[in-house]
Amino acid sequence: MSTPTVPQTTPDQAFDALLEAADRVALELRSTAAERDRANVAPRAEIELLRRHDLLQVQEPVEYGGAGLTFAQAAQLVRRIARGDTSIAHLLGYHYAQTRVAQLFGTPEQADALSRINGAERTFWGGVQNPRGGSALTLTKDGDGYRLNGSRTFASGASLGDHLSITVELEGELAFVSLPSDAPGSDFTRDGFSARDDWDNVGQRLTDSGGVDFHDVRVQRSEILGAVIPGEEGYPPGAAPSAYQTLVTPHWQLAFVNFYIGTAEGALDEAQQWARANGTPWETSGVDVATDDVYILEHLGEIVTEIRAAALLADRAGDALQAALDVGPSLTDEARAEAAIAVYEAKILTTKVALSATSRLFEIQGARATTTAYGFDRHWRNVRTHTVHDPVAYKAREVGDWSLNRRAPEFSLYR
């Protein structure tokens, strides 16, 4: 008798299953979002929720315990989570981008080792990568290793990470460090590391985005990404990252794009539920129910159209970035620019649409929906807070300069 064939899950089926898991998580997060936003407690439970639903290791190969998703597909999961809680989508989007840094800057051996750890242990990655605020994070040689010193005023998820992705200065050059916690599964611990726990902003309150300090933190050479790093023999001083490596920045920006538009989608869904259950028509509307009020319908039609248009541009941006990643190290400067510009176009539109939608939806819901207990204002506060991360006006300038003059954005950790 022949052995029955066990059906294998296809990549599309695995992706669909993860989209459904993200939707379930988003609904769970939404049910407590207003309460958690007010409490402003570090999101340990929320990270564990992502871990339990196997949403942390999705980009790792199936044989390592992951799902083999592309970065563009992972960004779709970020969008789904943002429909329930923008803060947690922020953490997840940064996590997905940070786990790919080793693919861009590390050796194949470093990238493979970290991929295996991520897949097997479902690690959560915090990030200390915002170059603005605080003192420089500087690595200095110390025996057979290095010491890390300095501070940052913004560092999302850093106090809770099983692993940190850190941008540093080494011999005056940019370098990337992948630093594991001494005790994975709890708050990030390394001798000399401290989190200030000072994040108390109007929005994105559950992103653990406060300041961090490093004082003589020991870093092993193996934890610095690259075959040859600044200060080592064979490293050319002033060497610029390759076009492929500079895709690191569009990774972060695409995460932003998706949790902006996901927030707008979530706010829209909540507003429509409210209008159906609690809305009232205006006294001169001539109708009996809010869902027939022509002005509510007009506002809604405009907002829905704008959100869907922005979502399509976000999808295009994901496809463009993924196509560039698929080329690999032979990527040309022009192809890198095309991919980056596609992401920045989406950044411009999703910023405007998310800010507009999360404000204008109150015109559909009415004054009662502004009651603090409902927490509908959190959508606008979250988007408003994060959209000033880096000025969208500069993204518009970069898009215009590329379109008119074919001048590509110069690489930085913001572009």
Side-chain angles (χ1 to χ4, degrees):
M1 186 185 332
S2 62
T3 302
T5 302
V6 178
Q8 298 295 310
T9 301
T10 67
D12 286 345
Q13 289 171 329
F15 182 40
D16 289 342
L18 286 165
L19 288 171
E20 292 175 3
D23 287 340
R24 291 193 298 272
V25 170
L27 285 174
E28 184 171 342
L29 291 170
R30 178 185 290 180
S31 69
T32 59
E35 178 184 351
R36 289 182 295 103
D37 177 78
R38 287 192 294 272
N40 194 26
V41 174
R44 293 176 181 85
E46 292 87 338
I47 291 170
E48 290 307 311
L49 179 65
L50 297 173
R51 199 189 314 269
R52 288 200 306 273
H53 284 81
D54 287 326
L55 292 172
L56 295 181
Q57 77 276 25
V58 298
Q59 296 178 97
E60 310 310 337
V62 173
E63 58 269 28
Y64 294 174
L69 298 194
T70 66
F71 185 76
Q73 289 174 319
Q76 293 281 339
L77 301 181
V78 172
R79 190 186 306 181
R80 299 294 182 102
I81 296 298
R83 295 172 185 173
D85 190 321
T86 315
S87 288
I88 308 310
H90 168 148
L91 288 172
L92 186 61
Y94 279 50
H95 162 84
Y96 287 153
Q98 285 150 188
T99 62
R100 298 301 89 186
V101 171
Q103 310 293 325
L104 298 173
F105 288 91
T107 65
E109 294 77 17
Q110 287 174 320
D112 185 70
L114 289 170
S115 186
R116 288 177 182 273
I117 292 170
N118 294 340
E121 300 179 10
R122 295 181 295 176
T123 52
F124 171 68
W125 284 63
V128 187
Q129 294 166 328
N130 191 323
R132 295 173 64 85
S135 61
L137 290 183
T138 304
L139 275 181
T140 54
K141 189 73 173 149
D142 181 36
D144 61 354
Y146 295 79
R147 295 287 178 178
L148 177 59
N149 285 279
S151 65
R152 285 283 186 270
T153 51
F154 300 108
S156 294
S159 75
L160 305 177
D162 304 305
H163 227 105
L164 295 188
S165 180
I166 310 170
T167 54
V168 302
E169 287 185 13
L170 177 57
E171 301 289 336
E173 307 272 2
L174 174 67
F176 287 82
V177 172
S178 292
L179 198 65
S181 173
D182 286 339
S186 61
D187 291 359
F188 186 85
T189 55
R190 274 277 179 128
D191 286 343
F193 169 83
S194 60
R196 299 178 189 171
D197 191 27
D198 56 358
W199 181 251
D200 188 20
N201 289 40
V202 298
Q204 295 301 80
R205 290 170 58 77
L206 302 181
T207 59
D208 184 37
S209 290
V212 294
D213 298 289
F214 296 85
H215 178 69
D216 281 342
V217 174
R218 181 72 173 172
V219 177
Q220 303 298 329
R221 169 61 183 88
S222 60
E223 295 166 340
I224 307 171
L225 298 179
V228 182
I229 61 174
E232 290 182 339
E233 184 177 353
Y235 185 89
S242 69
Y244 176 66
Q245 290 174 320
T246 65
L247 291 175
V248 65
T249 306
H251 271 77
W252 290 314
Q253 295 287 328
L254 184 65
F256 304 168
V257 163
N258 278 280
F259 63 75
Y260 294 170
I261 199 61
T263 301
E265 291 171 341
L268 172 63
D269 187 47
E270 289 190 43
Q272 292 189 114
Q273 290 181 28
W274 170 271
R276 295 184 188 108
N278 303 294
T280 56
W282 189 242
E283 59 186 34
T284 59
S285 66
V287 297
D288 296 325
V289 293
T291 51
D292 289 333
D293 188 313
V294 294
Y295 292 106
I296 289 177
L297 297 177
E298 179 186 14
H299 283 311
L300 182 62
E302 291 175 352
I303 293 168
V304 167
T305 301
E306 291 169 359
I307 290 174
R308 289 184 176 169
L312 288 171
L313 200 58
D315 290 341
R316 175 180 175 272
D319 290 342
L321 177 56
Q322 192 59 52
L325 289 167
D326 291 343
V327 172
S330 63
L331 186 74
T332 65
D333 290 338
E334 182 170 1
R336 189 272 182 189
E338 290 283 6
I341 290 297
V343 174
Y344 302 161
E345 289 170 350
K347 172 80 176 294
I348 295 164
L349 187 60
T350 55
T351 296
K352 292 181 178 180
V353 168
L355 285 170
S356 173
T358 54
S359 173
R360 291 185 62 202
L361 282 167
F362 285 105
E363 298 170 26
I364 294 167
Q365 294 169 287
R368 283 186 298 157
T370 65
T371 301
T372 302
Y374 299 128
F376 293 135
D377 62 311
R378 74 186 189 279
H379 300 300
W380 181 85
R381 287 188 289 105
N382 286 337
V383 174
R384 179 66 285 175
T385 297
H386 198 279
T387 52
V388 292
H389 174 277
D390 54 294
V392 74
Y394 282 87
K395 289 288 174 284
R397 174 188 173 184
E398 289 156 16
V399 170
D401 205 12
W402 176 251
S403 179
L404 185 62
N405 302 312
R406 306 305 283 180
R407 277 195 290 260
E410 294 183 10
F411 167 66
S412 77
L413 294 177
Y414 286 104
R415 57 185 181 175

